[in-house]
Amino acid sequence: MKKTSGAGVTLVELMLALTISILVVSGAVRFFAGFSRRNAQQQRNAVFQQQIANAGRLIEGDIRMSGYGLPGNGIQIDETSGTIDTVHLFSNENDHTYALKKESLSGEQTIKVMDITGLAEGNWICISSGSNVTFREIELVAANGKIGFDTPLSFDCTVDTTKVFGADRISYYLETKNGSKSLIRRKNTSFHTVSSSMNHLAIEARNESDSLLTSNYQEARNLSFVVGGGSGTGGASANVRTDTVSAFIRNYL
């Protein structure tokens, strides 16, 4: 009688099966890892694009209010080596206007007004005398109508020709912390991070003739903000999207 062999697996067959299994598992792991990275990147892109959209709406609204209730367009711009670093947008939404109580001379750091309704330390005032317009942060408000500020006056303020307006200042700039940049909106003394993903901010100012301004920003009638940045992690940033927010400044006297 012939003896049959047992239903075993040879070493070659076992090694072949193990190799195939390793290849299948390895491929599945690589596919899952790639899928997870793409999915995470898409989620970061979506969040970043939403941040840009929100920033755009916020910036556009602030531009449109710039100069409201004030002489001029309410714009101040800070530059370093010809590059705009910060834009300040002033407005007087409460329509507070004040008359001088007495004259103030150039070089003084205080003025006296008839009343102090609506004035507070940390807010701003706009002083207009003839063709001279300047903004000062309020450092002191006294009961007798005395207002103090750090920077001295650069022109004489006479009772008959000077008007003082209450003002709020909104500033936009990039702030660097721990190697990454964030877009900051500051209103008077309050800070708000608009986006922690943005690393690019470019600003253009144009006059009524649509000519690009590099000085005399009080002539600006249109501001354009180019905002963009990265969705990478660990300091890696890719400019996946850049949007331009442009608005006309209509609130000037």
Side-chain angles (χ1 to χ4, degrees):
M1 182 175 179
K2 186 177 180 181
K3 186 178 180 181
T4 60
S5 60
V9 178
T10 66
L11 180 59
V12 173
E13 292 173 329
L14 179 61
M15 293 299 295
L16 181 60
L18 287 174
T19 300
I20 294 173
S21 299
I22 290 172
L23 291 175
V24 171
V25 171
S26 177
V29 169
R30 285 197 299 269
F31 173 81
F32 180 77
F35 175 80
S36 298
R37 284 194 299 270
R38 288 192 298 272
N39 186 56
Q41 184 67 34
Q42 289 174 354
Q43 289 180 347
R44 287 193 296 267
N45 288 349
V47 170
F48 176 64
Q49 291 172 4
Q50 184 61 49
Q51 286 182 345
I52 285 186
N54 292 338
R57 287 191 289 268
L58 190 62
I59 291 170
E60 184 177 2
D62 289 337
I63 292 174
R64 293 190 183 282
M65 286 304 298
S66 183
Y68 178 86
L70 298 173
N73 59 13
I75 293 175
Q76 280 189 340
I77 289 179
D78 297 341
E79 293 179 290
T80 301
S81 301
T83 301
I84 296 175
D85 295 325
T86 305
V87 172
H88 307 289
L89 308 172
F90 292 89
S91 63
N92 178 19
E93 296 184 34
N94 294 316
D95 290 315
H96 286 149
T97 306
Y98 307 90
L100 284 185
K101 184 182 292 187
K102 60 173 291 186
E103 295 184 2
S104 296
L105 302 178
S106 173
E108 294 185 2
Q109 292 184 223
T110 62
I111 59 174
K112 284 190 176 182
V113 298
M114 300 301 294
D115 68 88
I116 56 173
T117 304
L119 297 178
E121 295 174 19
N123 288 8
W124 291 71
I125 54 172
C126 172
I127 305 171
S128 174
S129 183
S131 61
N132 297 305
V133 177
T134 188
F135 294 91
R136 294 289 185 270
E137 183 177 5
I138 300 173
E139 303 290 333
L140 168 71
V141 179
N144 61 359
K146 187 175 183 180
I147 305 172
F149 37 83
D150 278 342
T151 309
L153 290 168
S154 57
F155 51 84
D156 294 345
C157 294
T158 60
V159 172
D160 294 334
T161 61
T162 301
K163 289 184 178 181
V164 180
F165 304 85
D168 290 313
R169 188 182 79 165
I170 293 175
S171 305
Y172 283 96
Y173 55 93
L174 291 177
E175 182 178 69
T176 302
K177 283 186 177 180
N178 301 321
S180 61
K181 294 181 179 180
S182 299
L183 179 63
I184 303 297
R185 178 183 186 266
R186 174 178 178 175
K187 182 173 183 180
N188 297 330
T189 58
S190 300
F191 296 82
H192 169 62
T193 300
V194 178
S195 171
S196 58
S197 300
M198 293 184 186
N199 56 29
H200 179 75
L201 175 64
I203 300 156
E204 290 185 351
R206 296 182 178 274
N207 60 18
E208 284 184 318
S209 302
D210 200 35
S211 297
L212 183 66
L213 297 174
T214 57
S215 60
N216 301 323
Y217 294 110
Q218 68 276 6
E219 298 177 1
R221 295 296 176 261
N222 177 277
L223 276 185
S224 294
F225 281 61
V226 180
V227 290
S231 60
T233 58
S237 296
N239 288 325
V240 296
R241 182 176 177 185
T242 300
D243 276 358
T244 300
V245 182
S246 184
F248 286 97
I249 303 162
R250 296 172 295 183
N251 299 310
Y252 55 93
L253 304 179

